Amino acid sequence: VIDYPAVSALKRAGLERLWRDFGATAGTARTREAARGLDAWLVGALPRLRPHLLFEALADVHGVADRRAWPAGFEHPDTAAVRAFEREHRDRVRFHAFVQWLAERQWREAGDAMRAAGATLGPLADLAVGADAAGADTWSRPAVVADGFEIGAPPDAFAAEGQAWGLPPWAPDALADAGHAPFVELMRATMAGAGGLRIDHVMALERLFWVPRGGRPADGAYVAYPLEDLLRIVAAESERARCVVIGEDLGTVRPGLRERLAQAAVLSYKVAWFERAADGTLADPGSLPALAAVAASTHDLPTIDGWVLALDVDERERLGIVDAPTAVRMRAERRDDVARLEAGLARAGCTGEDLVERLHRWLAASACRLAIVQLEDVAGLARQPNLPGTPDVAPNWRQRLPVRVDALDALPRWRALGSIFAARRATIGG
């Protein structure tokens, strides 16, 4: 598994060394040119980045990246103590600006390289449904954050106890009082340099399930948000950035919302496991809407190989999430579901020996504008990236791929899936 603290420490040491070298070579023509580039970038970036840069510098000095652990006087970016800190630690703040400048340059250069290689869209960005209660986003805008609550989901078939994600929601009334400026800034920053943006839990544009912090999801309730106002902002920023928008609309969705999003040309999110015909078999790929992104699975669901083997059921039983009789029943249901999936693939003419290839032929046969392929499926990983409801159980979000990224194209599945989607692209003319 990936040791993120160790990786972070290694990266930080490298960035600190780059920053020292940047200063030590200030007299060279190359560094002078780079410094002018950094200064020019900061003119436009500093107003939106200042709170984040200050948060990072404060975390360095206080030794902890948790706003709640800092001394009194540092509650938000515009206190007298924070302004004094900014004057006293200019170099630390500038170091973090240097890091952000490098990151933004690399993001844009990666997008340029993708497009030069023939990619239609370029990189896809991802917008999480919320931000860490301890982190920079919450610290930067305390007036619009409902700190006594956390975002979640009510009990449903996916999570019988409901879900609480630890992320504080924005208060819709405070957001409106601010003219929705924080949301505009968020959209603009996330879409910058991206060819597409996936909005996690897009239902948040209309309503969010608030759970009292420390309470149970069953104690929560839905809070309404101004859908039309937020959707207008998404559309305007999408036009400005020439950025496709994908709305992750899985879970509890109020009737009519998907239709409204489709009217705004927001792509829906279709997952093979959930697309079924009336008899329970995998649906005809032609039944999927064109205005959608389609995938075999998601990071919160089993990989294709793991789903067939019911490894997610094994793990839930091992962790005590389900008891033994329930696990036996779930495995039997999974075997039946595999048979229904196979029947749907056969009916759609998706043939071959490898199920991963057949399922991606089904994706390619749909009319959906975009298909998403998970590297875990390409690399043959059996465990899903994340098992919801088990936040502290390894290896959630920490699985290594069994092959280096630069060696992926040697994998048989990589080549096979590349051929499948190349043939689809040729058929539809790009």
Side-chain angles (χ1 to χ4, degrees), residues 169-192:
W170 279 352
D173 53 347
L175 196 59
D177 290 343
H180 299 114
F183 186 72
V184 173
E185 293 169 7
L186 182 64
M187 288 295 105
R188 190 165 297 175
T190 313
M191 289 182 181

Side-chain angles (χ1 to χ4, degrees), residues 234-250:
V234 171
E237 294 306 320
S238 169
E239 289 282 350
R240 177 197 298 271
R242 308 301 299 162
C243 180
V244 171
V245 177
I246 305 162
E248 189 268 303
D249 52 357
L250 305 176

Side-chain angles (χ1 to χ4, degrees), residues 201 203 247-253 258 269-271 274 298 301:
H201 197 76
M203 294 81 80
E248 189 268 303
D249 52 357
L250 305 176
T252 304
V253 183
R258 287 192 174 102
Y269 201 72
K270 300 299 181 184
V271 177
F274 305 143
T298 78
L301 295 170

Side-chain angles (χ1 to χ4, degrees), residues 11-29:
K11 288 183 176 180
R12 169 55 75 91
L15 290 166
E16 295 277 6
R17 180 173 176 177
L18 283 173
W19 178 237
R20 289 195 302 270
D21 290 349
F22 192 72
T25 60
T28 67

